[in-house]
Amino acid sequence: MSELNYQLDLLKAMNQKLTEKERMYHMVCDSAESAFLYFSYDKNQISTLGLWRDYFDFDVRDTVDLQRLLDEVDEPYQLELQNALFLDKTGNDSASVECLIKERRIWLQFRVRVYYDHSGNPTDKVVHITNITKQRYKDEELLYMAYYDSLTGLYNRNYFVRLLTEYVRNAEESRSVVSVMNIDIDEFNKVNDKLGLVLGDELVQQFGLFLKEFCQDNVIACHLHSDVFSMAIYDPAGTRTTEHIYKEIRKRIKEPFRLSDGTEIWITVSVGVAEYPEASHSALELINYAELVVYRVKASGRNSIQYFNAPILDDFMSSVELETRLKQAVTNKDFTMFYQPQYYTGTRRLRGVEALVRWQGQNGEMISPGTFIPVAEQNGSIVPIGKWVVEESVKQYAYWRNQFGFPFVMSINISALQYKKEDFVDFLMNVLNQYQVRPSEIELEITESVLIDDFAAVSEKLKLLRNYGIRISLDDFGTGFSSLSYLKKLPIDTLKIDKSFIDTVMTDPSTRVITESILNMVKALGFESIAEGVEEEQQYKYLNAIGCDIIQGYLFSKPLPPVEVEKIFAGSLV
């Protein structure tokens, strides 16, 4: 009897031990935040553990029930999951499958492990099921960010370059053409300045969505940066050509883009095209050359399309070389000043001189301002050059006035970038004080480009300069953006008639009408008038007859170095 009791107690202890282990296994499974499916080959029995009911509303008790599990999965993933669940049929011991659950739209990972005995017969199988929805969406988001631009949904620059590289490689093998077109929204900075960055981004987004309509097999598009897009076409033909796409773009921009606040925006675009193999065999160079052509389009008036050719590249390389040399010249101050005399028309008496900067290269050659000034304005070096010009001109004026003992007008050209600097007025007044020059003896020449961005701010600064006594001259009148309404509001003293009018004033009746109208208007407004570029006696007599106040040009004198100007001061014309 005691032996029987002993056996019962032992069995009871073993059952209790098994119960505790089972409880421990359940706790471990539950804490793992996963579901488990266990299959015993010996018993032909399936058990579910962990968070099974959090994922599925049915139990799996037999292999037949596995079909219900397969039915829960989206169709594209069913076969792969079926192969994993019946892994023992292949003799493999592990597999992992990620599946989308149809109804709940969640992603589950099924990791299957089969255990074998020494004879290679399967004994146990465990399926570990984990919710990977968050990770999956995060991975998809990272994948999207790796390939696409978040604002427009087009390819980003890096992935576009990869695809374009494949285009070029394939075209090399098949002897095909690849066209790259860069598309730049004209004057986009004004949209941002007027409407703000948010609505500016919305315009870019809408234009990008429009370009996306052209994307198909062998046509891709990307948002390069800001307001610039790039498209690539493999083996262009039919509707897959730059000509067709540009025609459709032109058609679209005839209508406005309507933004979320109700604003309607009309835009124009500048387009540059570079093609493999003519332009380059490199994807990056094709993009850069197309962008280079865009710059050429913008320089020639915007709102058109141009194609890359060798002269464009030659011009670009020359400009790069010039820009490098110009930076060195700014550092070394390799500039010199010339001065062109101005004369009163009726008396031919000297009125003053215009200060003109010249760049003398290291080999002694003189580089034309028409060549280096546009480059300096583009890269910003016009500001330090302009400061040097002001200091040199004012210093030279002070020397001449003290040397020859009479006042005259020193006209100094001021660039738009230089004028817009906040410290410009203070800088100018400090230079005048340093050399003890009266403000009334200095005339600043500004071009019409100064007026474009903020007329009110420009006008206020002009008024401040005028209050100090500095004379203001509006240069190149009639060639840019001036309007008559501007003139009556501007605090200016002098208006210069551009040389382009003087060149044809004796041969073109229309030019004469315009010139005479300008002079009548100048007189009515109380300004002085200067005609620049006067080269013929006949021009001079005509301008004198119609009342032009001041003459400047080769007829009287070309721009001269200081030593030659001093001869004029010492001569009878003074």
Side-chain angles (χ1 to χ4, degrees):
M1 187 68 181
S2 60
E3 180 64 24
L4 180 60
N5 289 335
Y6 172 76
Q7 293 293 335
L8 289 172
D9 289 341
L10 181 61
L11 184 61
K12 184 178 180 181
M14 291 176 67
N15 285 336
Q16 185 176 355
K17 189 175 182 180
L18 286 172
T19 303
E20 289 176 354
K21 283 189 175 182
E22 184 179 352
R23 180 169 170 269
M24 179 184 66
Y25 294 148
H26 278 285
M27 290 176 62
V28 169
C29 291
D30 290 344
S31 64
E33 296 186 355
S34 300
F36 296 88
L37 187 150
Y38 169 73
F39 177 68
S40 171
Y41 287 85
D42 291 338
K43 298 178 181 179
N44 193 28
Q45 180 180 341
I46 297 179
S47 302
T48 57
L49 301 93
L51 305 182
W52 181 268
R53 280 293 180 173
D54 287 359
Y55 295 158
F56 307 104
D57 59 0
F58 58 89
D59 291 320
V60 176
R61 299 301 183 191
D62 192 271
T63 54
V64 177
D65 295 331
L66 291 177
Q67 185 58 47
R68 292 196 64 185
L69 184 58
L70 291 173
D71 292 340
E72 292 286 306
V73 174
D74 210 11
E75 187 174 355
Y77 308 97
Q78 288 181 1
L79 181 59
E80 191 175 4
L81 178 59
Q82 178 178 304
N83 292 336
L85 292 177
F86 295 96
L87 186 65
D88 50 288
K89 294 182 179 180
T90 66
N92 295 320
D93 62 356
S94 64
S96 178
V97 180
E98 295 180 1
C99 301
L100 179 65
I101 305 303
K102 287 186 292 188
E103 297 298 328
R104 299 179 60 189
R105 309 305 296 175
I106 63 172
W107 285 90
L108 298 180
Q109 182 184 51
F110 294 81
R111 287 182 288 176
V112 183
R113 180 70 183 270
V114 179
Y115 297 86
Y116 298 88
D117 61 19
H118 294 297
S119 301
N121 298 313
T123 59
D124 305 275
K125 177 164 44 181
V126 177
V127 181
H128 181 188
I129 306 168
T130 309
N131 189 334
I132 59 167
T133 305
K134 289 183 180 179
Q135 183 62 43
R136 183 80 183 205
Y137 287 155
K138 184 178 181 181
D139 290 345
E140 288 180 354
E141 182 179 355
L142 291 173
L143 186 66
Y144 183 89
M145 292 172 62
Y147 296 115
Y148 296 95
D149 170 63
S150 59
L151 179 62
T152 63
L154 299 173
Y155 290 130
N156 61 30
R157 177 186 174 89
N158 290 340
Y159 192 57
F160 179 79
V161 171
R162 283 176 56 185
L163 295 178
L164 179 56
T165 301
E166 292 180 15
Y167 273 12
V168 171
R169 187 182 301 116
N170 293 336
E172 188 173 6
E173 294 175 357
S174 62
R175 298 181 180 274
S176 299
V177 172
V178 177
S179 297
V180 174
M181 58 188 301
N182 281 14
I183 306 156
D184 191 322
I185 300 175
D186 293 328
E187 299 186 307
F188 180 71
N189 61 316
K190 292 186 178 180
V191 176
N192 277 339
D193 292 343
K194 181 179 179 181
L195 302 179
L197 297 177
V198 174
L199 291 178
D201 281 350
E202 188 178 343
L203 174 61
V204 169
Q205 186 179 57
Q206 288 192 28
F207 189 71
L209 290 174
F210 166 70
L211 294 181
K212 197 171 185 178
E213 297 175 8
F214 298 101
C215 295
Q216 52 178 298
D217 290 342
N218 296 334
V219 180
I220 55 176
C222 87
H223 180 207
L224 275 182
H225 58 83
S226 183
D227 61 319
V228 182
F229 300 83
S230 189
M231 300 186 71
I233 307 167
Y234 178 82
D235 192 21
T239 59
R240 290 186 295 104
T241 63
T242 55
E243 293 83 1
H244 174 77
I245 292 175
Y246 181 65
K247 181 180 179 181
E248 292 299 311
I249 291 174
R250 296 281 295 182
K251 188 186 300 183
R252 172 62 185 88
I253 63 179
K254 287 181 179 178
E255 300 295 328
F257 288 84
R258 181 179 291 273
L259 305 181
S260 58
D261 69 339
T263 302
E264 291 187 339
I265 295 289
W266 280 263
I267 65 170
T268 61
V269 296
S270 297
V271 180
V273 180
E275 292 188 332
Y276 165 88
E278 178 189 5
S280 175
H281 290 243
S282 162
L284 281 175
E285 283 189 353
L286 285 172
I287 295 172
N288 291 337
Y289 289 167
E291 187 75 353
L292 178 62
V293 181
V294 169
Y295 293 148
R296 175 64 67 90
V297 175
K298 287 184 175 292
S300 60
R302 300 185 290 269
N303 192 27
S304 65
I305 184 172
Q306 286 189 25
Y307 292 80
F308 177 87
N309 55 39
I312 290 178
L313 180 59
D314 292 340
D315 290 347
F316 172 72
M317 297 306 295
S318 297
S319 67
V320 170
E321 180 186 1
L322 180 66
E323 185 171 356
T324 301
R325 292 175 60 193
L326 183 59
K327 289 178 180 178
Q328 295 173 345
V330 171
T331 301
N332 301 332
K333 296 183 178 178
D334 294 333
F335 300 98
T336 187
M337 294 302 301
F338 275 51
Y339 302 88
Q340 186 171 29
Q342 300 171 336
Y343 295 91
Y344 290 108
T345 308
T347 62
R348 296 197 180 202
R349 182 170 58 86
L350 183 70
R351 182 247 191 187
V353 295
E354 179 183 0
L356 300 167
V357 65
R358 295 291 186 265
W359 175 16
Q360 188 167 9
Q362 293 181 350
N363 59 1
E365 89 281 15
M366 298 298 291
I367 301 171
S368 167
T371 300
F372 74 85
I373 291 296
V375 177
E377 289 178 338
Q378 187 174 12
N379 66 18
S381 59
I382 192 67
V383 175
I385 293 173
K387 282 190 171 184
W388 182 86
V389 167
V390 169
E391 291 177 352
E392 285 295 309
S393 302
V394 172
K395 181 170 67 173
Q396 184 67 68
Y397 177 86
Y399 171 77
W400 280 338
R401 187 193 59 191
N402 295 333
Q403 185 76 10
F404 295 97
F406 67 90
F408 58 94
V409 176
M410 171 67 78
S411 295
I412 304 173
N413 290 280
I414 303 299
S415 74
L417 285 177
Q418 185 181 8
Y419 180 82
K420 291 173 184 176
K421 289 290 183 181
E422 290 185 6
D423 64 345
F424 172 72
V425 175
D426 291 337
F427 160 74
L428 178 61
M429 297 309 299
N430 288 336
V431 173
L432 295 179
N433 291 332
Q434 179 183 352
Y435 294 101
Q436 298 182 341
V437 172
R438 290 188 293 272
S440 60
E441 296 165 332
I442 298 298
E443 181 176 70
L444 299 184
E445 291 195 15
I446 62 169
T447 61
E448 299 175 20
S449 60
V450 172
L451 310 174
I452 297 174
D453 293 334
D454 191 340
F455 179 82
V458 169
S459 183
E460 285 302 312
K461 188 174 287 189
L462 289 178
K463 289 177 182 176
L464 178 60
L465 291 167
R466 281 285 303 281
N467 289 339
Y468 280 118
I470 294 171
R471 301 169 62 90
I472 304 296
S473 172
L474 183 61
D475 197 7
D476 298 336
F477 182 78
T479 63
F481 305 92
S482 286
S483 72
L484 300 183
S485 61
Y486 279 178
L487 285 181
K488 68 181 182 181
K489 298 176 183 177
L490 283 174
I492 64 175
D493 301 278
T494 307
L495 189 144
K496 295 188 76 172
I497 303 173
D498 188 71
K499 182 179 184 298
S500 60
F501 287 95
I502 307 306
D503 287 341
T504 58
V505 74
M506 302 309 301
T507 57
D508 181 21
S510 297
T511 302
R512 285 199 297 276
V513 171
I514 295 173
T515 303
E516 292 175 16
S517 298
I518 291 174
L519 288 173
N520 290 333
M521 176 187 64
V522 167
K523 277 188 171 58
L525 293 172
F527 304 153
E528 271 189 322
S529 56
I530 299 180
E532 57 182 351
V534 179
E535 299 179 355
E536 301 172 1
E537 183 71 23
Q538 190 178 13
Q539 292 171 339
Y540 161 71
K541 290 179 178 179
Y542 168 73
L543 291 167
N544 186 32
I546 63 175
C548 181
D549 298 315
I550 301 161
I551 296 294
Q552 178 179 346
Y554 277 30
L555 178 63
F556 288 91
S557 176
K558 63 182 181 180
L560 302 170
V563 65
E564 295 297 325
V565 176
E566 291 171 7
K567 293 179 181 178
I568 295 177
F569 288 159
S572 59
L573 289 177
V574 176

